[in-house]
Amino acid sequence: MKKWLKQISVIGTLASIVLANTQVFAEQQGVSSSIRVSALPYYASADFTPHWLSPNSVELANFHRVSDFNFIDQDAKHVSQNDMQGKIYVASFFFTSCPGICPRMRSQLSKVQAQFINDNKVRIISHSIQPENDTVQVLREYADKNGVISGKWHLVTGERDAIYRLARNDYFANEDLGEYVSKKDFLHTENLVLVDVNRHIRGVYNGLNNTSVGHLIEDIKTLKSEL
């Protein structure tokens, strides 16, 4: 009987991993996935292999976390990991003059902002990958033009190397991030990354896809249930 129960447990775990990978792959590709889970996995690598751990697991002590950071937002205020303490946040990458995917991603993130507008536990951080041009003044004008609400949605600039290092090493953005695809446009990621109150990555979503962003909103609610 014990052997049979152990086999069932193993099968259940494998099934959960398959379901999570299916969900992540579908969302990265912009494909609708109806598969949802009642608890979110943890991620520690660029292949986004899910790790199913409980929030109080001892394994989390040395698990991947987003590194310390310190940038400046559209209000000329410093935004660091200390400001995100106890917050759930969504991380993205953009630049204000982007003619490609940025407007569509901004539209999707506006839905997240609207959904949690009165929730002090939820934030959005959009990092400029062209910080030499996206000054505080430029970010302020962009925020005013596009309905970005101060204190809820941070558009941040800072040292280029620090932003790119965080993007690649912590959020697992594409290694080609920042390369030119045209004279006016940079290559960058459409991924939105969900980070919990302990700076663990708990989800990745296609920021161009309505269904994927809908899943992001639901997963934020799931993370709130852990608080």
Side-chain angles (χ1 to χ4, degrees):
M1 182 67 175
K2 289 183 178 179
K3 182 178 180 181
W4 174 245
L5 290 174
K6 183 177 181 180
Q7 289 176 335
I8 292 175
S9 177
V10 170
I11 292 170
T13 299
L14 290 173
S16 295
I17 291 172
V18 170
L19 291 178
N21 276 326
T22 300
Q23 174 187 320
V24 169
F25 177 78
E27 292 176 347
Q28 287 180 319
Q29 300 302 314
V31 177
S32 174
S33 169
S34 61
I35 301 169
R36 306 307 301 149
V37 291
S38 59
L40 303 184
Y42 293 78
Y43 298 96
S45 59
D47 60 6
F48 290 101
T49 298
H51 297 259
W52 294 94
L53 305 170
S54 65
N56 57 356
S57 172
V58 295
E59 295 180 51
L60 290 176
N62 298 310
F63 201 80
H64 175 80
R65 296 176 191 264
V66 175
S67 302
D68 291 353
F69 57 86
N70 194 336
F71 301 117
I72 301 175
D73 72 4
Q74 69 268 27
D75 298 314
K77 294 181 178 179
H78 285 272
V79 178
S80 73
Q81 70 284 347
N82 293 329
D83 298 294
M84 294 300 110
Q85 186 173 359
K87 311 293 185 186
I88 297 165
Y89 71 91
V90 179
S92 70
F93 295 87
F94 83 116
F95 60 103
T96 58
S97 60
C98 170
I101 68 174
C102 295
R104 294 164 61 193
M105 289 181 65
R106 183 184 67 239
S107 176
Q108 296 292 353
L109 281 170
S110 293
K111 298 176 184 178
V112 180
Q113 177 180 249
Q115 181 69 37
F116 299 99
I117 191 63
N118 295 316
D119 192 331
N120 189 47
K121 292 293 185 181
V122 180
R123 296 282 190 275
I124 303 169
I125 306 179
S126 294
H127 309 73
S128 172
I129 64 166
Q130 201 175 24
E132 62 275 13
N133 295 322
D134 286 341
T135 62
V136 170
Q137 181 179 350
V138 170
L139 292 178
R140 179 69 265 165
E141 293 171 355
Y142 183 90
D144 291 340
K145 180 180 178 180
N146 294 290
V148 173
I149 298 175
S150 294
K152 172 61 66 176
W153 186 348
H154 303 279
L155 309 176
V156 299
T157 189
E159 294 184 2
R160 185 184 187 278
D161 287 347
I163 291 173
Y164 278 66
R165 184 168 56 250
L166 193 75
R168 291 167 177 156
N169 298 341
D170 292 84
Y171 296 115
F172 310 120
N174 194 308
E175 284 296 319
D176 296 328
L177 183 80
E179 292 188 3
Y180 277 105
V181 292
S182 71
K183 290 183 178 180
K184 294 183 178 180
D185 207 355
F186 281 95
L187 183 66
H188 56 106
T189 178
E190 70 271 19
N191 284 353
L192 305 176
V193 180
L194 178 60
V195 182
D196 69 15
V197 296
N198 296 308
R199 289 192 279 159
H200 292 124
I201 294 177
R202 305 297 297 276
V204 57
Y205 311 84
N206 188 318
L208 304 177
N209 180 264
N210 287 329
T211 301
S212 187
V213 174
H215 290 167
L216 166 61
I217 290 171
E218 292 305 310
D219 287 350
I220 291 173
K221 294 176 183 178
T222 298
L223 280 189
K224 283 181 60 65
S225 70
E226 294 181 2
L227 300 179

